[in-house]
Amino acid sequence: MIDFNIDNYLRISWQDVLLVCISTFIIVLFCKHFFWDKLLAFVAKRQALIQENIDASKHLREQALEEKKQYDAQIASAGSKANAIIEQAKRDAQAQKNEIIDSAKNQAENISRAAQEEIERDKLKAQKEMKDAICDVAITAASQILESEIDANKQKDILDKLIDQAGEGKW
């Protein structure tokens, strides 16, 4: 049978360690010569890309915060503008209401004044008509009385006096 001894496989010798160190050193020198600059360039490029993404995200965040502040200010400004517009509309409505009320009062006063003037004219007209009627009755009565007693010349003098008195308003 085969003689198998585990110690033969697990043994560590100084020659093996020396060979591994030398081969590792040669591999490192080979990689350093051909790949190290490319590896460092790749790592630096990757690091720069990551830093650029971080800076861009910070910048975008700052822009977003600034825009948010602007929008908040616009919203507040819009609210205050809306309140100002509402207040102006209330003032305009109140002014229009006062103007309508004043106009209605003026129209009522004009109508009242016109009615008073009309009443005064009718009153004066009625007084004139009454004076004329009284004058006619007085003249008729006087003429009937005088017909029997006075001649035409005296009658004319009396009528002229009555007319003059009526014109002066002594009645």
Side-chain angles (χ1 to χ4, degrees):
M1 186 141 168
I2 301 179
D3 187 20
F4 179 73
N5 187 359
I6 191 90
D7 290 332
N8 288 338
Y9 291 102
L10 293 179
R11 69 177 171 84
I12 297 177
S13 70
W14 65 271
Q15 291 110 358
D16 290 340
V17 172
L18 184 65
L19 283 176
V20 168
C21 285
I22 292 172
S23 65
T24 304
F25 182 71
I26 291 172
I27 290 173
V28 168
L29 284 177
F30 180 77
C31 288
K32 183 170 178 4
H33 181 67
F34 291 108
F35 300 114
W36 191 255
D37 292 334
K38 292 179 184 177
L39 181 66
L40 287 180
F42 175 75
V43 169
K45 185 179 176 182
R46 182 75 176 153
Q47 189 177 23
L49 180 66
I50 290 170
Q51 187 62 41
E52 184 180 315
N53 286 340
I54 290 171
D55 292 342
S57 65
K58 284 181 182 178
H59 181 68
L60 286 175
R61 183 173 187 269
E62 289 171 0
Q63 278 183 333
L65 289 174
E66 184 63 32
E67 287 181 11
K68 182 183 180 283
K69 287 178 185 177
Q70 290 175 354
Y71 290 137
D72 289 343
Q74 286 177 350
I75 288 172
S77 174
S80 64
K81 285 180 183 178
N83 287 337
I85 289 170
I86 290 170
E87 290 300 320
Q88 182 63 35
K90 284 180 183 179
R91 286 190 296 270
D92 291 346
Q94 185 65 33
Q96 190 175 16
K97 174 187 160 188
N98 291 340
E99 185 177 314
I100 290 170
I101 289 172
D102 291 342
S103 175
K105 284 180 181 179
N106 288 338
Q107 286 178 350
E109 288 174 5
N110 290 340
I111 290 170
S112 175
R113 191 176 320 114
Q116 284 296 100
E117 290 172 358
E118 183 71 25
I119 290 170
E120 197 60 39
R121 280 193 300 270
D122 289 345
K123 184 178 172 184
L124 291 174
K125 184 179 176 183
Q127 286 176 350
K128 183 179 178 197
E129 288 174 358
M130 194 182 309
K131 283 181 182 179
D132 290 343
I134 291 172
C135 285
D136 289 343
V137 169
I139 290 173
T140 305
S143 66
Q144 288 175 357
I145 293 172
L146 291 178
E147 253 179 31
S148 58
E149 300 177 4
I150 304 176
D151 64 353
N153 285 334
K154 284 187 178 181
Q155 191 175 4
K156 186 178 177 192
D157 290 338
I158 293 172
L159 284 176
D160 287 337
K161 285 182 185 178
L162 286 173
I163 290 173
D164 288 339
Q165 287 177 355
E168 293 174 0
K170 292 183 178 178
W171 292 43

